[in-house]
Amino acid sequence: MNAYQEALDYLYAQLPMFTKVGASAYKTDLHNTVALLAQLNNPQHTFKTIHVAGTNGKGSTSHMLAAILQQAGYKTGLYTSPHLLDFRERIRINGQVASEDFVVDFTNNMRPFIETIAPSFFELTVAMAFQYFSQEKVDIAIIEVGLGGRLDSTNVITPELSLITNISFDHKNILGDTLPLIASEKAGIIKAGVPVVISETQSEIQWVFQGKAAETGSPIHFADQEWMVDGSNIKDNHLDLTLLDTRQNKMYHFRLDLSGQYQEKNVMGVLSAVRLLQQQGWHITWDHVSAALSHVRKLTGLRGRWEVVGEHPLTVMDVGHNEAGIREVVQQLEHVNYQQLHIVTGFVKDKEVENVLPLFPSTATYYFCRAQLPRALDEVALAEMGAQHGLQGRAYESVQAALQAARQHAKPEDMILVCGSFFIVAEAM
């Protein structure tokens, strides 16, 4: 076994990992993160950052911002989670994942300290990313929150700006069971005097963000009040958008290589963020923005966002996994022509599956399956729950078996959709 694989095995074995075990891995303070970073001489203070939180869209938003800064010529770090195929996807610079050697050296150097304080997998990964960005001297890094905001391990930075995409129900057992409670956790990334962009105005929680911004003296911008979608069209796996800048009464046209209709909301947040960066003296032109948005996947390696992986039958993978995420995915289906829809899906145990299943179309054929991790929901139990909501299909004990069955049953003019969790999509890939 190579040294990289050994380092990964050590990290996975040592550290509680939220994606595997769930809530018990979530730490309710920043104590370990602060200690790890102190041990590394606080690398997070040596480069500039943008902090991105929200329930859905924070991954796509982070990748778009990274693509734009990269296109504008800045050496750009990008920290996201979870990964799909390789752990190093979490830590990138200009689209390139961190080197295996770096992961190995970091893990070996930190081993004695890890054994002293027993951090979670996420705490350690955050420290690793900050160390890498510092060592490689990035100009700026986009930092995506793992979970929540206020107590998230990433919340040890003072960014150039904070961005919150939207708030919906996810991780209720940890973040609270009302939207205002969840919003106040996410609002924890708003820092004194640092501007904040809210991508989507949600009347029931707008006051949470306004209150927090007033308290910290942070200029607040609701992006969907600064931009208006004038036209939107999906063709050739691209999303063509015409947006009106309501402040300057000026039209902009963008062609996104991310074709999910749900990207409209994310784009508005990104554009408001770009305007603030321009005002802060970052040299970003609208040409940079346009070029970057049409090549986000190529520039940053983003995957699993309404990603078309095959034609005849059309095969799409999307990591949407909670109520709002699945609702967006199902709405997107209305823009697609197909004869029969085949859906390969599975969930993790702590998701509000009962709230998500009614959103799925009852006309599709289902291939219920389970990802290979302890938190995965049993596929037979899921199939039974599905049947109660009028979803017809069979249970398969692995994602590969389910995908294979869908491919056998689908005719060329049909569609196969893979969704439900990051882990289902990762195994399907």
Side-chain angles (χ1 to χ4, degrees):
M1 195 192 301
N2 68 13
Y4 173 60
Q5 198 49 54
E6 271 170 30
L8 281 192
D9 290 348
Y10 170 77
L11 293 177
Y12 287 132
Q14 288 297 313
L15 312 164
M17 184 177 178
F18 179 79
T19 52
K20 292 275 198 294
V21 299
S24 59
Y26 182 66
K27 299 290 175 69
T28 51
D29 62 64
L30 296 173
H31 183 83
N32 280 347
T33 308
V34 169
L36 283 165
L37 291 167
Q39 184 72 12
L40 296 161
N41 295 330
N42 290 314
Q44 75 278 17
H45 299 323
T46 62
F47 52 91
K48 296 189 165 173
T49 54
I50 295 173
H51 209 179
V52 182
T55 307
N56 291 304
K58 59 181 185 288
S60 298
T61 296
S62 298
H63 279 265
M64 286 190 237
L65 282 169
I68 289 166
L69 282 152
Q70 197 177 317
Q71 186 72 34
Y74 293 104
K75 187 172 186 179
T76 308
L78 175 61
Y79 175 75
T80 54
S81 61
H83 60 273
L84 281 164
L85 303 173
D86 179 351
F87 167 79
R88 296 174 303 147
E89 293 167 28
R90 293 167 181 253
I91 306 172
R92 306 173 190 258
I93 296 175
N94 286 0
Q96 300 299 309
V97 300
S99 72
E100 291 189 357
D101 289 348
F102 172 77
V103 176
V104 172
D105 293 346
F106 179 90
T107 307
N108 291 342
N109 293 340
M110 292 298 279
R111 231 171 172 153
F113 194 68
I114 290 170
E115 279 151 28
T116 316
I117 70 164
S120 74
F121 179 82
F122 191 77
E123 288 167 334
L124 201 82
T125 309
V126 167
M128 187 187 291
F130 289 160
Q131 177 69 355
Y132 189 62
F133 296 152
S134 176
Q135 181 185 303
E136 298 296 319
K137 300 189 166 50
V138 299
D139 296 315
I140 190 164
I142 316 298
I143 309 296
E144 180 200 13
V145 164
L147 202 160
R150 183 175 65 95
L151 297 171
D152 188 74
S153 309
T154 60
N155 203 23
V156 290
I157 52 179
T158 303
E160 301 299 287
L161 66 97
S162 308
L163 190 155
I164 301 172
T165 56
N166 64 19
I167 305 298
S168 55
F169 291 113
D170 205 352
H171 308 295
K172 282 187 194 175
N173 53 337
I174 298 174
L175 301 178
D177 56 6
T178 69
L179 288 181
L181 277 174
I182 297 173
S184 61
E185 284 299 312
K186 311 261 181 197
I189 70 163
I190 299 174
K191 300 289 190 317
V194 175
V196 57
V197 171
I198 312 292
S199 301
E200 211 178 311
T201 308
Q202 295 168 269
S203 53
E204 66 274 40
I205 49 171
Q206 195 175 347
W207 58 274
V208 176
F209 299 132
Q210 284 165 328
K212 176 71 181 183
E215 195 184 302
T216 54
S218 308
I220 184 165
H221 298 263
F222 289 90
D224 54 1
Q225 296 172 25
E226 300 184 344
W227 301 89
M228 231 173 70
V229 176
D230 189 65
S232 163
N233 181 28
I234 299 168
K235 67 169 197 271
D236 312 331
N237 296 334
H238 280 72
L239 176 63
D240 285 324
L241 280 183
T242 306
L243 290 157
L244 173 69
D245 173 348
T246 57
R247 294 174 150 198
Q248 297 176 341
N249 201 19
K250 201 168 161 199
M251 286 289 194
Y252 290 89
H253 183 77
F254 299 107
R255 183 151 212 243
L256 272 69
D257 67 339
L258 307 175
S259 57
Q261 191 92 39
Y262 55 80
Q263 299 294 0
E264 285 178 11
K265 300 170 184 174
N266 296 331
V267 167
M268 291 192 255
V270 167
L271 296 178
S272 286
V274 165
R275 174 157 322 125
L276 287 169
L277 290 169
Q278 289 169 334
Q279 286 165 6
Q280 289 173 5
W282 293 84
H283 180 68
I284 305 168
T285 65
W286 292 106
D287 285 347
H288 291 143
V289 175
S290 187
L293 291 179
S294 63
H295 294 107
V296 177
R297 295 183 203 270
K298 196 169 88 195
L299 290 167
T300 68
L302 178 63
R303 298 202 57 188
R305 302 331 191 265
W306 198 263
E307 182 176 349
V308 176
V309 294
E311 306 273 358
H312 316 295
L314 175 67
T315 307
V316 172
M317 302 199 181
D318 195 285
V319 295
H321 56 273
N322 51 30
E323 262 179 84
I326 294 292
R327 190 172 279 121
E328 300 283 9
V329 168
V330 171
Q331 279 173 357
Q332 180 78 8
L333 289 169
E334 293 167 14
H335 301 279
V336 186
N337 293 322
Y338 51 79
Q339 274 204 327
Q340 177 60 26
L341 178 59
H342 303 263
I343 295 182
V344 175
T345 192
F347 292 88
V348 287
K349 286 179 193 148
D350 51 6
K351 288 287 168 218
E352 311 277 321
V353 181
E354 287 288 2
N355 299 344
V356 171
L357 290 173
L359 304 172
F360 280 103
S362 57
T363 49
T365 305
Y366 287 84
Y367 303 78
F368 298 106
C369 56
R370 172 178 51 167
Q372 307 302 303
L373 75 160
R375 262 173 79 212
L377 183 61
D378 177 77
E379 70 282 6
V380 177
L382 177 60
E384 285 166 6
M385 290 162 81
Q388 287 164 8
H389 292 286
L391 309 182
Q392 300 304 313
R394 291 183 46 194
Y396 298 84
E397 56 195 34
S398 74
V399 178
Q400 287 303 330
L403 186 56
Q404 210 171 344
R407 287 191 168 136
Q408 277 162 356
H409 293 128
K411 298 188 173 68
E413 57 279 11
D414 288 357
M415 174 177 182
I416 299 172
L417 170 66
V418 181
C419 65
S421 88
F422 255 91
F423 312 102
I424 297 290
V425 171
E427 288 178 27
M429 284 179 176

